[in-house]
Amino acid sequence: MKRQSQPGFPYHLGIGNLQDVATKSDRVCVLNILGGESRQVTPTSHAFSGGNVVFGTSPGRAGQVLRTSSGDIPVYNNVREGIDAGHGFNVGVVYLPPSGVRDGVAELVRVNDALEKIIIITEKVAVHDAREVRAMAQSNSVDVIGGNCLGVADSWNQVRLGGALGGDHPEEALTKGSVAIFSNSGGFTTTIAQYLATEGWGTTTLISSGKDVYIHYSARDFAHAFQADDRSKAAVLYVEPGGYYERGIDFGKPAIACVVGRWKSKLTRAVGHAGAMAGSGDRAEDKERWFMEAFEVPELFTPNNQVVSAKGAVVTNIAHIPAALTAVMRLNSIAPDFSSRGSLALKPWIADDKGLALPAELALAPTEAPNPYNAQIGALSQQIGAVIARQTMKDTSGASKMDPKTQVTSVHGHSVLDMAMEPLEAIFALPLVHEIANENDRVMLDIAVAAEVNLTGDPILAATDAAREAGNAPNTIMAVAAGIVGPKRIDRALACTGVLIDLFAHSGLLEGHDEAFDSSSVQLNDKHRGLFAATPEEADDPRPQAILDGVKARGGKSAFLAYLRGMGTQLNRDGLLAALALTIAWAPLQRKRISRLTAETLPWYLRLYGVMIGASIPSQNHQPGSLYGIPRAERFSHWTMADLCFLALTGKKPTNGETLPLQLLIGLLISNGPGAISAQGAKGAVAADGPQTPSRVQINKAMMGFLTHCGFSHGGNGFEGIAFLLEQFKGSGLSDPSDPNHGLDLQAMAHRFATQYKADKRQAKDLGQDVRALPGVHHPVFKGKPVNVDPREQFIAAFLEERGEYNVFHAYYRELVKALYDVGASPYIFCVNVDAIIAALLLALFWKDYEAGTMRDHDLEQAAFNVFLYGRMIGAAAEIDDHVNRGRNMDTRTPASQCHFVV
Amino acid sequence: MEITGMLHGATLLKHVDFPATEVLGPGATNDQIQDLLTRYGQVFVKPVFRGGVGKKGKAGLVGRATNLETALAEKERLYFVEHRHGNAIAKAHGVTFEAGVPAEHEVYFSITDDSRFRAPTMTITHQGGVDIEELDDTEIATVPFDALTGLKAFVVANALTDIKAPRELISPLVQHLPKLWELVHNYGMTTLELNPIRMRPGRGARLNPIACDFKGGFDRDDPRVARLGLPDQIFAADVSPFEQEVNQLRTHQGQSDVFVINDKGTILAPTFGGGANSLVTEVLGESAIISSDFGGNPPYEKMKSVASICYRHFLAQTNVLFIIGGKSNNTDIFETFRGMGDALREHFSAHGPTPLFIVVGRGGPNLVRGMGNLAETLDSLGLPYRFFGFDSAISEVVNYAKDVDAWMQAGGREEIGRTLGVAQSALGGRT
């Protein structure tokens, strides 16, 4: 059927008026209606337009329907079946994949005589097919819109055809007004409509033209229909480089052209829209010129240079369209359609600066989003702390990672080497809060842990005594103690933490140390008040007051302690522990660095730290109010974690500088990644409890998992290096290992040993026996070069050297590796490994006691093991907390198919 | 996707039996060149550019030789010659030796899809061998023809008559030129230009058209191009490993071409929508690392793969990860943001943290859900961010991202690096 074409056009153009582009009477057939994109878009279009889709096709799926809120749309195998079933339509919408588009168009034009318009949504249609589509449509007098477009819409008729203009909520973008939009960009079609509303302009017809080489419904076609449309007082065009579609057009009414893409002339290839390739004479600059000539303006419009005529203006930024339109319309004495809606100023909806001090122009505070987004964002902001997706965590950690090249492990981004440089109290909370503690937080941690170490009167002491007497290793003794710190022993502290989090969550408190924070709006009810108050049985407990005094003495600040002090009642230990812990956790929680779960369980870890260190101190040294004779007040008000660990190991108060080697040792031992046996034990314990129900995970049992997965080979082997050094230095007359003038000829000692070692080695070889391995020498990764170094050993050695610290044992090791090579016992110079420096530091720590006879071999072995446990408990806490937050129930098990049976 | 020159042009023309000048490739031996010289009297030595370059700036890039010595000297001069036009630099990878075809007449012929007619269009003149822009309109015929029936002999005959072409040209051109439509239409071409076609006298003084230069554009969205069996590297004109990798994921469901704008840039901007792509790249200028359009509702897996590739190649140098688009109509924000966020998390897991500031400007379905999900990921990675909705002007958001980049370069990068525990030496990027 030959339809009427518009007069004056050398080709067929059916649409003569923008009012006819998308009308209430249009009836639509959608090809590939059940395709992924159509399934999302068509139901909204159908419902918005009052149910205009009569049927869709999807070969082989006849009989199915596409459900929409305005009723089901029937699906047929092909167009003919739909028509035979009595459905008439005048608009075909093509959602077919690119290779099917041409055939779809052929089907539509051949099968349906009543067809007037085809809208092609598909992108990346081959030019070959576009050519033929154009030819077919022309010879059948059908208008085509697209391809690679989002269809058309009419704000007056409240109809959209084809694509997704206006998204899920077309009514938001399609506001009735007087401006017609024609855009090469689908996304910008509705973006421009939304921008226009900020100056009070609504829309008539919106056309997403697509930007393929073939723009089947072009700017010229649009201009013709625009002139005939009485509703449209002005037009906005968004155009990109490529093609001559916009040259020499008379719009007859005011128009704004936005031409974008000057940068594309720098490129030689098509970018973004397929047809937007800069050719000759159709660059962005050329198009700007065409429009400037059409509108009779000498320059581009910018906010600072508002060049307009009554005919129009040319802009190069879509944000300038509304102002340009208003200026042009003013010259035509036409007022906006309605009062301004919103503005285009920068309005952050969601922001988190992670505590960075941004300059004011960047630190824009979030503003309220429009409806309904504000309510959705409000719901999000109720969320406190980070939300972490669960996954299988077998052999996987979100906390620790060992670099296979350097063998250096890091925990939450901090390498053990860096952590070894920090005071212990700065890193004990790191596994939980993911940050190195600041001065104030260190105060909180020192006191919180110190308050748990003295176990006088606690059945734990009896249990650890029994365990010790039974000949258990230090890890087992610690495990016994941890086992007793079960859920009921921590219930109240955790409940207190939960209450404080709820109370302060949306109070505006940003830092836990902010005592100046006005908490007058934070109200504690009676039930919760009872949680923090001392019970009659606790009335005589001196520790809560000692804790408060300790904080005061150290100048510690805590918004939570300040708040609890304001209650005016005697507080209990658990409430104070909760306040101390939350002071540390608050800022990371607010910054969403950690989850609420982590913040809430922090008191449990702090109590466990204290009890586990306490358990390594024999029971006779725990007395009421004092530990090894050191009074509580002194420990609470001055002592650091390192002091406490030193005391636990040596029974002595450290003198100046004595804790440094201990700090280094503990730092180095924190973690060896999730593959370490101790980490596996901790993770297995968590997995077995089921982290998907985190309240059931027994953190103390997970600590036992770590402890039971240490032993004489893993953790206790620190003594091997010490034993080796003792062998070398026994009877040497060494009095002070830190004195460089020790008077020993280390080179000769090393040479002597190396010579003997070489002989032993040869003999062992002759006998077919294994050669004795030297602890602290050589490493499977750092080997094979003429001179080898373990970067960890090197790092610590450099640190000690810088501080002028000397260690004779370490110096001996360095001589030894050279001597081994010199005598031919090693093929190259082996590295001194990190175990050597650990042994050297440990032995130096205890040498004087050992020489004095107050410590024996057994004591040294116990002490070395305990140092390992102190360090590794930090790493274990990191794995436990990570697994509780991320893991799935029983995720560490190995499928039977991957297990092996041997005989 | 373009090819220029006769090295491959002659092969393509063979598909439709269109006569072409004899051509030797870069590997031609001295004997072969001498043989060509002996038979034709002269050869043209031309550099080979992968993917082809425009004609502008090509002056001096063609050598003419009548003896072997000159031919070899020209080969040495042109083998690695550079062609510059504006910002685009192309380096030659070899030369061709093309037989000189003595002729009285040179014809210009092209077929392309012309937006003025929205149809395949033939342009022809018998005054070829020069830039046709230099000719008078009356000497050139530009004739659209029906794509369904193709370029017919009568269309060529009419055009030649209109421009008053010498009558001895008409018959041979009418006979041969329609074949070229078959090449264009059936092998996924968008443009074919032969200039010049030299009219060489043959038997009985009948003139034969011989194509002496070739320029072709190919449609990367058309699978018919594969029928030509062209080696992939022909189109690999200075394609970076990143471009090659990321564009393998190009399908009709999201993602147009992705290009590297400045491989030393500091803003990595996954952009959604062709319009946004134009605007963002224009405003970002040299700060932008890539130009991209990931719109078109890519599914989660694809978005994640594309983001992973972008991160792997460029995250280490990036100061601002800038996720930007208008108010999407059908691209699911939750799915795309989840894809990009998860890829970021995996990248950090595998390669360690890198200092980043994330700026987002977006609208569309599931917007707040998407923002919430991304925020959770960024929180867990300890990265600062600021998300703008669709009610902020997109150009203002782009300017904001530039301001953040400037702050990052002025010390912000180190500051974020410190909070992430990234060692100074590992900070990388441009600060």
Side-chain angles (χ1 to χ4, degrees):
Chain A
M1 189 179 86
K2 200 78 178 166
R3 257 172 291 277
Q4 186 70 42
S5 294
Q6 295 300 310
F9 280 82
Y11 52 85
H12 169 79
L13 176 66
I15 297 169
N17 189 316
L18 286 184
Q19 294 194 51
D20 302 329
V21 170
T23 72
K24 277 283 181 200
S25 58
D26 282 327
R27 287 294 169 266
V28 180
C29 163
V30 179
L31 303 193
N32 194 24
I33 192 167
L34 297 180
E37 195 170 340
S38 164
R39 238 186 1 241
Q40 283 182 21
V41 175
T42 303
T44 308
S45 306
H46 184 65
F48 174 70
S49 311
N52 60 355
V53 182
V54 291
F55 75 97
T57 66
S58 182
R61 290 186 178 146
Q64 294 187 19
V65 294
L66 178 67
R67 298 198 185 285
T68 84
S69 60
S70 293
D72 294 349
I73 302 171
V75 177
Y76 297 91
N77 284 321
N78 51 52
V79 177
R80 196 186 62 194
E81 271 183 25
I83 291 176
D84 289 348
H87 302 294
F89 67 93
N90 65 326
V91 182
V93 171
V94 179
Y95 270 106
L96 293 158
S99 59
V101 168
R102 177 185 58 157
D103 294 359
V105 169
E107 181 182 11
L108 285 166
V109 299
R110 292 202 189 150
V111 174
N112 181 19
D113 282 344
L115 191 75
E116 293 173 340
K117 293 175 268 193
I118 294 176
I119 300 169
I120 302 173
I121 308 301
T122 311
E123 58 180 293
K124 300 188 177 76
V125 177
V127 175
H128 169 284
D129 293 357
R131 264 176 218 142
E132 296 194 351
V133 163
R134 173 77 184 167
M136 282 190 285
Q138 282 292 306
S139 54
N140 288 277
S141 305
V142 171
D143 287 318
V144 178
I145 294 157
N148 185 16
C149 81
L150 285 181
V152 295
D154 192 300
S155 303
W156 286 46
N157 299 335
Q158 292 288 291
V159 167
R160 84 171 186 196
L161 302 178
L165 290 178
D168 282 354
H169 302 284
E171 65 284 351
E172 282 178 17
L174 303 176
T175 314
K176 184 175 172 181
S178 59
V179 183
I181 297 175
F182 177 90
S183 169
N184 285 170
S185 160
F188 277 4
T189 313
T190 38
T191 302
I192 290 168
Q194 175 215 334
Y195 284 13
L196 287 175
T198 63
E199 289 269 342
W201 299 103
T203 51
T204 53
T205 302
L206 301 91
I207 296 176
S208 160
S209 69
K211 189 65 189 81
D212 282 350
V213 172
Y214 278 81
I215 297 180
H216 291 288
Y217 189 80
S218 70
R220 186 179 304 281
D221 308 336
F222 165 81
H224 172 75
F226 164 62
Q227 290 192 42
D229 180 14
D230 292 338
R231 308 169 308 164
S232 299
K233 310 284 185 229
V236 170
L237 287 92
Y238 172 86
V239 300
E240 295 198 355
Y244 296 88
Y245 292 109
E246 302 86 3
R247 193 165 63 173
I249 297 177
D250 176 15
F251 290 92
K253 285 190 268 188
I256 305 297
C258 178
V259 183
V260 175
R262 269 180 178 249
W263 64 277
K264 283 185 175 168
S265 55
K266 291 185 192 171
L267 297 169
T268 54
R269 293 167 288 183
V271 177
H273 292 134
M277 184 166 175
S280 54
D282 55 355
R283 300 164 307 157
E285 294 91 320
D286 299 315
K287 295 198 171 189
E288 289 165 12
R289 199 184 62 248
W290 301 342
F291 284 112
M292 286 196 283
E293 286 167 6
F295 301 152
E296 296 170 1
V297 288
E299 287 176 87
L300 298 172
F301 173 100
T302 65
N304 298 325
N305 185 29
Q306 304 207 352
V307 182
V308 298
S309 75
K311 288 188 167 183
V314 185
V315 300
T316 58
N317 182 334
I318 63 164
H320 301 156
I321 291 173
L325 178 66
T326 303
V328 170
M329 296 304 265
R330 201 178 294 128
L331 295 180
N332 289 283
S333 305
I334 300 174
D337 300 319
F338 42 78
S339 54
S340 160
R341 291 181 188 168
S343 84
L344 293 178
L346 277 178
K347 292 178 284 292
W349 285 10
I350 301 175
D352 193 328
D353 294 334
K354 296 285 175 285
L356 294 166
L358 290 179
E361 65 274 19
L362 296 183
L364 304 172
T367 55
E368 187 167 350
N371 252 325
Y373 304 96
N374 54 352
Q376 296 169 11
I377 292 170
L380 276 185
S381 66
Q382 290 302 308
Q383 170 67 43
I384 311 158
V387 177
I388 301 158
R390 291 205 178 272
Q391 62 188 91
T392 296
M393 294 299 292
K394 181 177 171 61
D395 303 329
T396 304
S397 173
S400 67
K401 183 184 176 191
M402 179 186 262
D403 181 335
K405 275 194 199 137
T406 62
Q407 297 280 300
V408 174
T409 302
S410 55
V411 178
H412 293 302
H414 300 273
S415 84
V416 292
L417 299 180
D418 290 336
M419 287 192 282
M421 303 293 116
E422 298 285 343
L424 290 185
E425 53 277 15
I427 55 168
F428 257 91
L430 177 107
L432 293 323
V433 299
H434 302 194
E435 293 174 2
I436 289 179
N438 61 26
E439 288 293 339
N440 192 70
D441 292 344
R442 294 175 199 182
V443 168
M444 301 298 139
L445 186 109
D446 279 336
I447 298 173
V449 177
E452 306 292 339
V453 176
N454 191 333
L455 299 168
T456 311
D458 194 308
I460 291 174
L461 271 191
T464 51
D465 266 352
R468 200 172 272 115
E469 280 161 23
N472 284 297
N475 60 316
T476 318
I477 296 165
M478 248 186 217
V480 164
I484 297 173
V485 189
K488 280 197 176 172
R489 280 213 176 197
I490 199 72
D491 262 1
R492 188 172 59 170
L494 301 192
C496 288
T497 316
V499 167
L500 287 175
I501 292 176
D502 284 339
L503 283 174
F504 283 87
H506 306 294
S507 66
L509 177 68
L510 294 176
E511 300 283 348
H513 61 72
D514 184 8
E515 285 195 350
F517 177 74
D518 178 9
S519 59
S520 55
S521 61
V522 179
Q523 294 296 330
L524 198 62
N525 63 28
D526 287 345
K527 181 185 157 205
H528 291 151
R529 192 179 293 264
L531 270 177
F532 294 91
T535 60
E537 298 78 45
E538 293 168 321
D540 297 330
D541 185 354
R543 285 174 296 184
Q545 190 53 48
I547 289 172
L548 291 171
D549 293 345
V551 172
K552 193 175 171 191
R554 296 182 193 228
K557 304 274 182 228
S558 163
F560 305 104
L561 281 181
Y563 179 74
L564 295 179
R565 278 197 304 263
M567 278 171 53
T569 48
Q570 192 187 348
L571 300 166
N572 64 45
R573 255 177 85 201
D574 286 339
L576 291 176
L577 176 61
L580 294 173
L582 200 54
T583 306
I584 301 170
W586 191 254
L589 181 69
Q590 284 296 303
R591 288 199 291 272
K592 298 194 171 175
R593 188 129 202 201
I594 60 170
S595 69
R596 179 182 174 131
L597 177 64
T598 297
E600 236 166 29
T601 44
L602 182 57
W604 204 343
Y605 292 94
L606 297 182
R607 179 157 288 168
L608 280 165
Y609 284 159
V611 168
M612 286 157 69
I613 294 168
S616 64
I617 301 172
S619 62
Q620 66 272 21
N621 303 311
H622 299 250
Q623 294 104 19
S626 81
L627 195 64
Y628 273 119
I630 313 285
R632 176 190 298 129
E634 186 183 336
R635 280 182 287 116
F636 283 20
S637 59
H638 294 104
W639 279 45
T640 66
M641 282 295 295
D643 296 338
L644 208 54
C645 292
F646 189 88
L647 180 74
L649 286 172
T650 65
K652 289 186 295 189
K653 180 178 173 176
T655 54
N656 205 17
E658 269 189 316
T659 55
L660 179 68
L662 187 61
Q663 169 198 311
L664 290 174
L665 284 165
I666 292 179
L668 287 175
L669 291 164
I670 285 176
S671 175
N672 255 352
I677 298 175
S678 51
Q680 298 265 321
K683 291 169 76 67
V686 174
D689 268 346
Q692 286 168 281
T693 316
S695 58
R696 289 173 65 98
V697 177
Q698 306 158 78
I699 305 294
N700 65 316
K701 189 206 70 174
M703 275 295 185
M704 293 170 78
F706 134 63
L707 290 164
T708 57
H709 283 66
C710 301
F712 292 113
S713 283
H714 178 48
N717 59 336
F719 183 67
E720 284 175 23
I722 293 180
F724 172 74
L725 287 169
L726 282 175
E727 208 177 285
Q728 310 308 313
F729 283 83
K730 205 169 242 176
S732 66
L734 177 71
S735 57
D736 181 0
S738 65
D739 182 3
N741 301 313
H742 43 66
L744 300 178
D745 186 347
L746 296 180
Q747 204 176 353
M749 283 169 67
H751 197 268
R752 221 166 25 243
F753 174 82
T755 310
Q756 184 60 44
Y757 179 72
K758 190 185 175 193
D760 292 349
K761 204 172 153 185
R762 185 170 298 144
Q763 192 183 3
K765 199 177 172 187
D766 291 344
L767 296 170
Q769 292 170 341
D770 282 343
V771 189
R772 166 194 180 189
L774 293 179
V777 169
H778 203 33
H779 192 278
V781 172
F782 312 115
K783 64 172 188 180
K785 293 182 191 149
V787 179
N788 296 277
V789 286
D790 179 335
R792 301 167 294 178
E793 179 263 352
Q794 211 175 22
F795 183 87
I796 299 294
F799 174 75
L800 291 173
E801 204 170 317
E802 208 172 280
R803 293 177 58 104
E805 305 272 347
Y806 178 81
N807 183 304
V808 68
F809 307 118
H810 181 227
Y812 171 76
Y813 258 120
R814 288 202 158 179
E815 290 298 338
L816 178 62
V817 289
K818 280 189 259 174
L820 287 169
Y821 174 70
D822 288 343
V823 302
S826 66
Y828 42 79
I829 298 185
F830 285 158
C831 72
V832 176
N833 67 32
V834 72
D835 290 338
I837 205 156
I838 290 171
L841 289 169
L842 268 171
L843 186 56
L845 201 60
F846 304 123
W847 180 257
K848 286 178 184 167
D849 292 319
Y850 183 77
E851 280 291 283
T854 51
M855 274 185 114
R856 279 174 294 216
D857 285 9
H858 173 74
D859 302 322
L860 281 181
E861 184 169 8
Q862 297 276 314
F865 204 153
N866 273 323
V867 170
F868 171 83
L869 296 176
Y870 295 165
R872 196 49 63 91
M873 72 169 73
I874 302 174
E879 301 301 346
I880 295 166
D881 178 64
D882 179 62
H883 208 115
V884 174
N885 273 286
R886 285 177 202 271
R888 295 184 189 280
N889 296 351
M890 304 208 299
D891 57 359
T892 58
R893 70 177 172 169
T894 306
S897 60
Q898 289 169 30
C899 296
H900 308 283
F901 170 73
V902 290
V903 289
Chain B
M1 287 177 58
E2 286 182 37
I3 288 179
T4 57
M6 291 306 291
L7 183 61
H8 297 290
T11 317
L12 294 179
L13 291 169
K14 259 196 200 113
H15 282 277
V16 289
D17 292 327
F18 192 92
T21 187
E22 203 167 329
V23 58
L24 295 173
T29 63
N30 289 0
D31 288 349
Q32 287 171 315
I33 300 167
Q34 184 58 58
D35 178 51
L36 206 62
L37 278 164
T38 308
R39 285 188 289 122
Y40 292 94
Q42 68 171 358
V43 295
F44 292 100
V45 187
K46 299 178 183 174
V48 177
F49 294 103
R50 271 189 205 145
V53 296
K55 62 190 169 200
K56 293 190 177 69
K58 254 173 133 177
L61 295 189
V62 178
R64 194 162 89 161
T66 51
N67 57 54
L68 184 61
E69 192 186 356
T70 314
L72 294 176
E74 288 297 79
K75 174 183 174 181
E76 196 173 322
R77 178 173 75 88
L78 298 169
Y79 205 93
F80 288 120
V81 75
E82 275 189 2
H83 171 265
R84 262 168 208 276
H85 179 59
N87 279 13
I89 299 172
K91 197 174 168 70
H93 293 270
V95 290
T96 56
F97 302 91
E98 298 171 15
V101 177
E104 197 180 323
H105 298 289
E106 291 190 324
V107 172
Y108 170 98
F109 176 83
S110 75
I111 298 174
T112 190
D113 293 280
D114 193 317
S115 57
R116 287 170 297 180
F117 308 109
R118 271 177 285 183
T121 301
M122 169 190 77
T123 301
I124 188 167
T125 173
H126 56 285
Q127 312 280 8
V130 295
D131 277 355
I132 59 160
E133 286 88 345
E134 294 167 10
L135 300 176
D136 191 81
D137 283 351
T138 58
E139 294 173 307
I140 306 168
T142 302
V143 187
F145 55 90
D146 189 328
L148 296 176
T149 51
L151 179 62
K152 294 297 167 210
F154 76 89
V155 178
V156 178
N158 289 352
L160 289 170
T161 307
D162 288 348
I163 57 172
K164 301 185 176 55
R167 63 188 179 84
E168 64 269 30
L169 301 187
I170 296 178
S171 173
L173 290 175
V174 165
Q175 183 191 342
H176 286 287
L177 292 180
K179 296 173 187 171
L180 295 169
W181 167 248
E182 303 300 323
L183 182 62
V184 170
H185 196 51
N186 294 331
Y187 294 92
M189 293 186 75
T190 54
T191 307
L192 171 65
E193 182 184 281
L194 301 181
N195 185 27
I197 298 170
R198 289 169 176 263
M199 303 303 288
R200 186 171 65 191
R203 240 185 315 171
R206 182 182 165 83
L207 298 176
N208 288 318
I210 308 290
C212 291
D213 203 358
F214 180 97
K215 184 175 175 187
F218 294 83
D219 181 2
R220 67 181 304 154
D221 291 323
D222 196 335
R224 292 172 189 85
V225 178
R227 293 175 183 170
L228 292 167
L230 293 165
D232 286 347
Q233 69 266 22
I234 290 187
F235 297 122
D238 307 317
V239 172
S240 69
F242 165 74
E243 289 169 344
Q244 202 160 12
E245 193 176 348
V246 79
N247 286 324
Q248 279 171 3
L249 297 174
R250 187 177 185 272
T251 66
H252 72 281
Q253 220 175 6
Q255 191 198 337
S256 294
D257 298 338
V258 181
F259 291 114
V260 177
I261 295 278
N262 176 10
D263 62 7
K264 303 277 186 300
T266 46
I267 300 181
L268 182 63
T271 308
F272 292 83
N277 162 267
S278 293
L279 188 146
V280 168
T281 317
E282 184 117 15
V283 182
L284 284 184
E286 292 289 305
S287 309
I289 301 172
I290 58 168
S291 165
S292 61
D293 172 10
F294 296 125
N297 200 19
Y300 165 79
E301 282 299 339
K302 177 167 174 180
M303 192 68 242
K304 192 173 153 204
S305 308
V306 169
S308 299
I309 295 171
C310 293
Y311 298 157
R312 185 150 36 79
H313 286 272
F314 297 119
L315 207 64
Q317 72 189 63
T318 300
N319 283 333
V320 183
L321 175 61
F322 183 34
I323 300 170
I324 182 74
K327 185 176 181 182
S328 95
N329 294 292
N330 64 330
T331 296
D332 187 319
I333 307 300
F334 176 63
E335 288 297 296
T336 47
F337 278 29
R338 193 166 67 92
M340 288 185 284
D342 287 355
L344 189 64
R345 192 197 300 274
E346 285 181 12
H347 182 89
F348 270 46
S349 301
H351 305 280
T354 174
L356 272 186
F357 199 110
I358 290 82
V359 179
V360 170
R362 198 70 173 112
N366 281 327
L367 177 61
V368 174
R369 242 182 107 203
M371 285 181 164
N373 184 276
L374 184 63
E376 282 170 10
T377 303
L378 300 178
D379 287 334
S380 70
L381 301 178
L383 297 173
Y385 55 86
R386 197 159 253 96
F387 297 168
F388 298 90
F390 52 84
D391 57 347
S392 300
I394 185 168
S395 51
E396 288 303 305
V397 181
V398 183
N399 284 326
Y400 180 82
K402 281 181 84 172
D403 292 346
V404 172
D405 182 43
W407 174 78
M408 289 288 277
Q409 292 189 31
R413 190 174 171 89
E414 283 85 354
E415 219 171 299
I416 297 176
R418 272 194 296 278
T419 67
L420 295 175
V422 179
Q424 184 75 24
S425 57
L427 273 176
R430 206 178 68 190
T431 57

